[in-house]
Amino acid sequence: MAPLRWFLLLSLICSILLLVNVTHSTAQDTRKAYVVYMGDKPKNGVPILPDLHVNMLQDVVDSSNIDIAHEALLLHSYKRSFNGFAAMLTEQEAQKMTRMDGVVSIFPSKQRSVKTTKSWNFLGFPETVKRSALERDIIIGVMDSGIWPESDSFSDAGFGPPPKKWKGKCQGNGNLTCNNKIIGAQYYRASRSFEADVESPRDSNGHGTHTASTAAGNTVTKASLNGLGLGKARGGVPSARIAVYKVCWSSTPACEDADVLAAFDDAIADGVDILSISVGGSIPVDYLNDAFAIGSFHATRNGILVSMAAGNEGPGAKTVTNFAPWQLSVAATTINRQFITRVQLGNSKIYEGLLPNIYDLRGKFYPLIYGGDAPNKKAGANGTLSGFCLQDTLEEDLIKDKIVLCDGPVDGAGGGAILGGAAGIVLMGQKVADEVLGPLPVPASYVGLEEHSDIYKYIKLTRNATATIWKSEEINDVLAPYVPSYSSRGPNPINPNILKPDLAAPGTYILAAYPPSGGGSRAGYYLETGTSMACPHATAIAAYVKSFHPKWSPAAIQSALITTAKSMSAKTSSDAEFAYGAGLINPSRAPYPGLVYDLDEQDYIDFLCSQGYNGKLLKAITKDKTSCSSKSNNGTTNDLNYPSFALSIKDPKYVNGVFHRTVTNVGSLNSTYRVKVVAPLGLKINVNPNVLSFTSLGQKKSFVVTIKGPIEKSNLVSASLMWDDGVFQVRSPIVVYVAV
Ligand SMILES: *[C@@H]1O[C@H](CO)[C@@H](O)[C@H](O)[C@H]1NC(C)=O
Ligand SMILES: *[C@@H]1O[C@H](CO)[C@@H](O)[C@H](O)[C@H]1NC(C)=O
Ligand SMILES: *[C@@H]1O[C@H](CO)[C@@H](O)[C@H](O)[C@H]1NC(C)=O
Ligand SMILES: *[C@@H]1O[C@H](CO)[C@@H](O)[C@H](O)[C@H]1NC(C)=O
Ligand SMILES: *[C@@H]1O[C@H](CO)[C@@H](O)[C@H](O)[C@H]1NC(C)=O
């Protein structure tokens, strides 16, 4: 399964089906699912009254208008970690509700989409790396499509009982049993239709099983996908526990805000340490109308770092999702493993293509035909259309049991040949493995323009053209890592001066656990591609850091991951930091950052103040004596104590930015750090003071960074700032760019 394409297609279907699903009455007062967000739960342990949410519904929904009980309109009640609910409302009712006491925001429950293991070795994180005994007490919450618990990756052999702090449950519904590895599993489905899926946390599409095993799967030897990617599959923190929150479904709609918030509500109260969420929306919205921003805000307040996929909407600018400063936003890179797939013609010429091909034709030759020569005329297709081998465009009798050459690259190319019973397909695309193509359910290769044109000529000049496709071979990709085009790019669509994505991790062709029959493979391991696969790598390393430093705040862990990342260069991506943030995650160094840029609740509140949220609203969100502190009224996000720097400017001639930062010593007792600035000609970066001396752990020191131009006319200029005491190097990327 090529998850990206598949989910794109699915989301198209969803948006149509959703309207059908939620329509309970006439067109003028159509009900849809809305989320009503009411901030934190009351302080001092005051419980939320059981009937509060139903009563609020009664106040706005005129019962003479509906023939069902108010309770039936209530989809979820959020009470354990914050206050709010999801309900079926008309637009007028939603309007009325905005004016009610305690309501912070109301927004329609939006559709979301989900977005080895050699990758760890590639990152310099061998199996034998030093481990903390506390790793077994770390609980990773995975919000995804559920799990396939019978996989070897989730065996609990050698695991003791769940950590005492665990308060979650196993809602197996007779279809799934938890163990001491998967210590909890729950499912959330407001729209209550389970067709094409099963009413349980069991994973019926593979995505959740894959991501969970990448983060915390056991070490399993001889894992492969039909022999491809053969090796040890392992999660980054194989001793950690997994808590499953199934919010994404194979039936439509795939994932919904109402369910996502219900899962956050439970996960926070259940006692997870880290949340891994390879799901995202694509439309930037206000933080208070974004279920992920709200949920992860409360998670962060409760000491839980939320690691999220940056999105698969690249390579355009501002396509990054999940970009709130309290979320870790993870971009994807390639790893050094590339799959090449040779196509051999009847004239014995051999062409090298890409794409993992798991099938072995054993050198058998099949008739070769060009899709453009087999249009399904009855269905109104001509040769131009059928050349792409799109669904319903091919005359099946002509292509059955043949290898079909297809044009491209377009979405859905080759699909018609697969459905029509072709013996194999040869697709056209870029010669760089930059495209998102998973293994296909027939032998397939993906050749470049020149190769494609040669094969086409061979077909045209040969009476009985034939070909075979060889099983893939793994080669070492010396260009790796680079950021493939699918990975979403910055700049941050809402906060131009907060750099997103934060960092990058392996996401292309990652081998991890899979349900037995998933994606046409019985192997139990599968190669998947996307930022969805990058996210659990970062989740695991966040857990790894936490196992050494259980008291660190989410922001401190986030800072450690960012400042220890390996710098990447603009050569590997024209959009530089907007593609990879601070660079490639560096697991073995992440627990030892030396200094951290920490953030506490007040910092995030000040950040929200700078965004124009007023004191009253903030009190409603936090339920405590929150107010904007004096320093936060400067109307700038520059002073959020973030471990990276972004400066958006209007005119390259006038560059002038001031950033205040404070670092906390977590390295050596006595240490003296000197600053090292790397900047291109013209950009003047001044750091004051430029030496920081520490005499104790936990000690904080502040400094001011001033950035002045001009810069050359350019969209983006990369620089960096590094504190170095000879032992620790604390590096922050700096980006100056012209906002467009
Ligand atoms: C789970 O439910 C599905 C669908 O009803 C069924 O096909 C499957 O056998 C069940 N699995 C287990 C382990 O009960
Ligand atoms: C083939 O069909 C498409 C879509 O109907 C049309 O746009 C195109 O012009 C046709 N091409 C030829 C060569 O007739
Ligand atoms: C081409 O195929 C046809 C039908 O299968 C066969 O009769 C013919 O001998 C073949 N020609 C060549 C040159 O192989
Ligand atoms: C905010 O602005 C005030 C007034 O200009 C200034 O004194 C203060 O230092 C600024 N705060 C920060 C954190 O930059
Ligand atoms: C740290 O420095 C202080 C004074 O600068 C000194 O008294 C102390 O012994 C030093 N501690 C260590 C562990 O080096």
Side-chain angles (χ1 to χ4, degrees):
M1 180 176 74
L4 296 168
R5 295 275 159 84
W6 190 74
F7 279 106
L8 276 182
L9 184 69
L10 195 66
S11 53
L12 282 178
I13 305 168
C14 292
S15 41
I16 302 159
L17 283 195
L18 178 75
L19 291 173
V20 180
N21 266 347
V22 298
T23 305
H24 284 286
S25 57
T26 57
Q28 308 103 298
D29 59 346
T30 306
R31 291 186 181 281
K32 340 189 258 183
Y34 279 89
V35 170
V36 181
Y37 171 56
M38 303 174 65
D40 212 329
K41 57 190 180 163
K43 284 287 138 92
N44 315 321
V46 181
I48 298 168
L49 294 175
D51 291 339
L52 172 71
H53 300 146
V54 173
N55 291 346
M56 288 175 69
L57 274 176
Q58 277 165 351
D59 284 350
V60 298
V61 179
D62 179 357
S63 45
S64 63
N65 261 340
I66 56 166
D67 46 13
I68 45 170
H70 288 101
E71 283 83 349
L73 297 177
L74 189 67
L75 301 171
H76 287 294
S77 238
Y78 313 129
K79 285 181 177 168
R80 295 182 70 198
S81 304
F82 45 87
N83 191 357
F85 58 96
M88 303 299 300
L89 298 173
T90 65
E91 209 180 312
Q92 293 90 325
E93 289 161 1
Q95 280 291 326
K96 256 199 239 169
M97 202 158 265
T98 44
R99 292 187 292 271
M100 292 182 81
D101 238 21
V103 171
V104 172
S105 60
I106 294 193
F107 51 92
S109 175
K110 289 174 290 292
Q111 305 303 302
R112 304 295 187 154
S113 51
V114 287
K115 320 252 172 233
T116 245
T117 314
K118 193 171 157 80
S119 49
W120 293 119
N121 290 335
F122 177 64
L123 291 173
F125 191 60
E127 212 184 334
T128 51
V129 76
K130 184 179 159 207
R131 298 278 177 183
S132 155
L134 293 179
E135 187 177 307
R136 72 173 83 97
D137 291 338
I138 299 277
I139 304 169
I140 297 184
V142 182
M143 212 184 278
D144 209 301
S145 65
I147 201 148
W148 195 270
E150 291 82 5
S151 166
D152 290 345
S153 293
F154 308 125
S155 147
D156 69 350
F159 281 82
K164 291 211 172 59
K165 65 187 173 193
W166 175 242
K167 292 196 231 23
K169 58 183 177 193
C170 190
Q171 184 193 15
N173 206 20
N175 198 263
L176 176 148
T177 331
C178 295
N179 61 17
N180 284 330
K181 174 75 183 177
I182 299 172
I183 59 172
Q186 295 174 66
Y187 62 91
Y188 305 84
R189 184 73 172 155
S191 44
R192 309 272 181 250
S193 96
F194 297 95
E195 85 278 1
D197 207 319
V198 39
E199 185 178 354
S200 97
R202 184 170 290 281
D203 181 10
S204 33
N205 77 44
H207 194 269
T209 303
H210 200 277
T211 54
S213 68
T214 300
N218 299 319
T219 301
V220 176
T221 54
K222 291 194 190 142
S224 77
L225 173 59
N226 284 14
L228 288 198
L230 180 68
K232 265 184 195 164
R234 62 187 170 101
V237 277
S239 303
R241 321 296 179 115
I242 297 168
V244 175
Y245 299 88
K246 178 170 173 179
V247 294
C248 294
W249 299 78
S250 292
S251 45
T252 54
C255 341
E256 269 188 274
D257 280 355
D259 298 330
V260 164
L261 275 172
F264 269 112
D265 191 34
D266 280 337
I268 296 167
D270 287 349
V272 305
D273 292 291
I274 311 273
L275 265 169
S276 191
I277 309 181
S278 293
V279 185
S282 48
I283 316 149
V285 290
D286 182 71
Y287 291 127
L288 293 185
N289 291 330
D290 179 344
F292 288 103
I294 290 169
S296 49
F297 180 76
H298 287 281
T300 307
R301 274 165 70 81
N302 286 278
I304 303 163
L305 177 70
V306 184
S307 165
M308 300 196 71
N312 298 329
E313 281 76 39
K318 288 193 193 176
T319 48
V320 63
T321 60
N322 303 322
F323 46 76
W326 51 84
Q327 297 167 328
L328 180 71
S329 174
V330 187
T333 69
T334 58
I335 60 172
N336 56 349
R337 174 172 59 206
Q338 182 60 265
F339 294 98
I340 59 163
T341 303
R342 296 190 172 87
V343 177
Q344 187 170 353
L345 305 183
N347 63 6
S348 66
K349 283 229 170 97
I350 294 177
Y351 298 92
E352 273 187 8
L354 295 168
L355 194 141
N357 169 35
I358 62 176
Y359 301 98
D360 194 352
L361 295 177
R362 295 170 193 279
K364 184 175 172 201
F365 280 80
Y366 289 82
L368 176 65
I369 185 172
Y370 170 55
D373 293 336
N376 181 354
K377 295 204 181 98
K378 272 181 245 130
N382 58 28
T384 315
L385 264 182
S386 71
F388 294 106
C389 308
L390 299 169
Q391 194 172 341
D392 298 331
T393 62
L394 291 166
E395 180 59 55
E396 288 189 9
D397 289 345
L398 291 176
I399 59 149
K400 201 166 173 44
D401 298 324
K402 293 182 183 160
I403 290 177
V404 187
L405 176 72
C406 306
D407 294 333
V410 297
D411 267 1
I418 296 172
L419 293 169
I425 50 177
V426 178
L427 292 155
M428 183 181 77
Q430 303 131 286
K431 184 101 205 223
V432 191
D434 212 18
E435 263 298 321
V436 183
L437 280 178
L440 297 179
V442 297
S445 184
Y446 190 44
V447 297
L449 186 61
E450 274 174 41
E451 290 85 349
H452 185 275
S453 140
D454 271 11
I455 299 171
Y456 176 80
K457 274 185 218 142
Y458 162 73
I459 293 175
K460 290 293 163 186
L461 296 174
T462 313
R463 190 190 299 263
N464 288 354
T466 58
T468 190
I469 300 171
W470 293 93
K471 191 166 175 177
S472 292
E473 274 175 40
E474 288 174 34
I475 56 161
N476 188 34
D477 183 359
V478 292
L479 296 176
Y482 54 89
V483 180
S485 62
Y486 66 80
S487 189
S488 288
R489 304 309 208 258
N492 186 321
I494 291 193
N495 298 118
N497 285 11
I498 291 181
L499 179 62
K500 290 284 172 174
D502 289 305
L503 48 68
T508 293
Y509 295 143
I510 303 300
L511 185 78
Y514 221 67
S517 55
S521 140
R522 256 172 274 117
Y525 287 84
Y526 205 74
L527 289 164
E528 288 233 53
T529 292
T531 54
S532 286
M533 283 67 237
C535 164
H537 281 89
T539 306
I541 300 316
Y544 182 64
V545 172
K546 185 151 185 164
S547 74
F548 289 95
H549 310 288
K551 299 244 155 62
W552 280 12
S553 69
I557 297 174
Q558 187 170 357
S559 171
L561 298 186
I562 290 173
T563 63
T564 57
K566 278 194 195 125
S567 63
M568 291 172 66
S569 73
K571 267 183 244 131
T572 63
S573 172
S574 60
D575 24 29
E577 282 79 8
F578 290 146
Y580 46 69
L584 185 67
I585 195 164
N586 191 351
S588 50
R589 273 203 50 211
Y592 317 105
L595 305 173
V596 291
Y597 295 76
D598 207 353
L599 287 164
D600 62 18
E601 271 199 68
Q602 186 61 44
D603 294 312
Y604 289 121
I605 296 303
D606 287 342
F607 164 77
L608 289 172
C609 294
S610 75
Q611 297 301 291
Y613 298 108
N614 64 35
K616 192 169 160 234
L617 187 63
L618 293 171
K619 275 200 184 76
I621 297 171
T622 61
K623 298 292 184 298
D624 52 28
K625 291 196 279 303
T626 305
S627 61
C628 297
S629 75
S630 58
K631 72 166 193 177
S632 59
N633 292 326
N634 295 16
T636 158
T637 53
N638 287 10
D639 291 335
L640 181 74
N641 198 32
Y642 213 67
S644 56
F645 299 81
L647 178 61
S648 136
I649 52 173
K650 290 204 178 67
D651 182 341
K653 286 201 285 292
Y654 304 100
V655 178
N656 193 0
V658 180
F659 298 80
H660 293 80
R661 290 291 188 272
T662 300
V663 285
T664 308
N665 181 23
V666 296
S668 326
L669 213 57
N670 281 352
S671 51
T672 300
Y673 286 85
R674 281 164 222 287
V675 80
K676 290 180 179 165
V677 170
V678 177
L681 215 62
L683 194 65
K684 291 175 209 68
I685 299 179
N686 179 57
V687 180
N688 186 28
N690 58 15
V691 176
L692 299 176
S693 289
F694 297 90
T695 52
S696 64
L697 290 178
Q699 195 177 10
K700 290 177 186 288
K701 292 274 160 120
S702 298
F703 59 95
V704 183
V705 179
T706 313
I707 304 176
K708 287 209 155 65
I711 58 170
E712 273 175 45
K713 208 176 159 70
S714 154
N715 278 342
L716 182 157
V717 172
S718 301
S720 68
L721 170 170
M722 183 165 81
W723 291 106
D724 190 346
D725 74 339
V727 178
F728 300 105
Q729 287 80 38
V730 192
R731 182 183 172 277
S732 294
I734 300 175
V735 177
V736 179
Y737 70 103
V738 181
V740 284

